[in-house]
Amino acid sequence: MTGRIIIDLFTTLDGVAQAPGGPDEDTSDGFRFGGWQATLPSQAVMRSVTEGMQTLDALLLGRRTYDIFAGYWPEHTTGPEGFIGQLFNRVPKYVASRDAGIELGWQGSTRVGDDLAAEIAGMRERHQDVHVIGSVGFVQTLLAEQLYDELQLWVYPIVLGQGKKVFPDGARPANMQLVHAESGDGSTLLLRYAPLPGEPTTGIMGG
């Protein structure tokens, strides 16, 4: 069976996916709401994330997210998050970067990006579920080129009014199919989409 590329993003109602985890995660462009997810704990989200870990057998990350993960997860392999750290340390990690000279010190890490379509095709042959976590800048490329199989959004009931969005102005027009929707505690909403071919069409209402 061909493996899947699954994009996982935490997002606000206005589509912001920048720095949900902490104040210093990504302060670019003066973003002042880093860590917005931390004040909105959700058992439903944690349960969904844990379920996704059951089949995850590789990570595909943008460079910024990779650096954050590499600096955190190798040191967090016990306690409540320990199963995540152990899993991330064990599975192969693919890092999207144009810099052929980057040093990737986290065990099991490989650079990709010279021919992303071919490299992702190879990942699908080798793995069951490759997860793209965060990496909102890199996600724009995957969405534009439709190099993914599922876009999974955990939507939180807040509006920030600034920050990097899942679909910023200038995003490539695309059709999607909703394959799953689920409400959680704290008013969080899980939405899963699959790509469809072609671009949106227009018409006249009632015509």
Side-chain angles (χ1 to χ4, degrees):
M1 179 180 295
T2 301
R4 302 186 303 161
I5 308 298
I6 302 171
I7 299 171
D8 299 328
L9 291 173
F10 302 112
T11 178
T12 65
L13 282 177
D14 54 336
V16 176
Q18 183 171 351
D24 300 322
E25 183 178 332
D26 181 2
T27 59
S28 61
D29 299 320
F31 187 65
R32 60 189 181 91
F33 292 108
W36 55 264
Q37 184 191 14
T39 61
L40 298 165
S42 169
Q43 291 298 317
V45 170
M46 187 60 187
R47 182 172 60 252
S48 178
V49 169
T50 301
E51 290 173 356
M53 299 294 175
Q54 304 305 311
T55 56
L56 182 156
D57 58 354
L59 288 170
L60 173 58
L61 305 172
R63 177 64 188 275
R64 182 189 292 272
T65 299
Y66 171 82
D67 287 341
I68 293 170
F69 279 22
Y72 182 85
W73 287 116
E75 308 301 324
H76 291 79
T77 57
T78 60
E81 297 179 325
F83 75 99
I84 301 177
Q86 293 173 27
L87 175 64
F88 286 178
N89 286 331
R90 182 173 68 250
V91 302
K93 292 160 281 287
Y94 300 96
V95 187
S97 175
R98 297 184 182 89
D99 182 3
I102 62 171
E103 295 184 6
L104 303 175
W106 195 4
Q107 182 179 358
S109 300
T110 304
R111 185 186 73 87
V112 297
D114 293 332
D115 187 345
L116 194 58
E119 289 161 332
I120 285 180
M123 293 178 207
R124 287 194 173 106
E125 293 179 355
R126 293 188 296 272
H127 304 293
Q128 176 178 339
D129 279 349
V130 180
H131 282 248
V132 184
I133 302 175
S135 309
V136 64
F138 172 55
V139 163
Q140 307 306 323
T141 299
L142 298 178
L143 294 174
E145 302 300 325
Q146 292 199 333
L147 294 174
Y148 73 100
D149 299 282
E150 186 174 289
L151 172 63
Q152 184 163 243
L153 303 175
W154 287 278
V155 184
Y156 284 72
I158 57 172
V159 174
L160 299 182
Q162 68 170 134
K164 298 175 182 176
K165 294 186 176 183
V166 181
F167 298 104
D169 289 346
R172 179 177 176 178
N175 295 312
M176 293 187 177
Q177 177 183 6
L178 180 66
V179 295
H180 180 79
E182 176 184 341
S183 60
D185 54 335
S187 300
T188 55
L189 183 65
L190 171 60
L191 302 173
R192 292 175 176 162
Y193 293 93
L196 290 175
E199 292 190 356
T201 57
T202 62
I204 299 175
M205 292 294 294

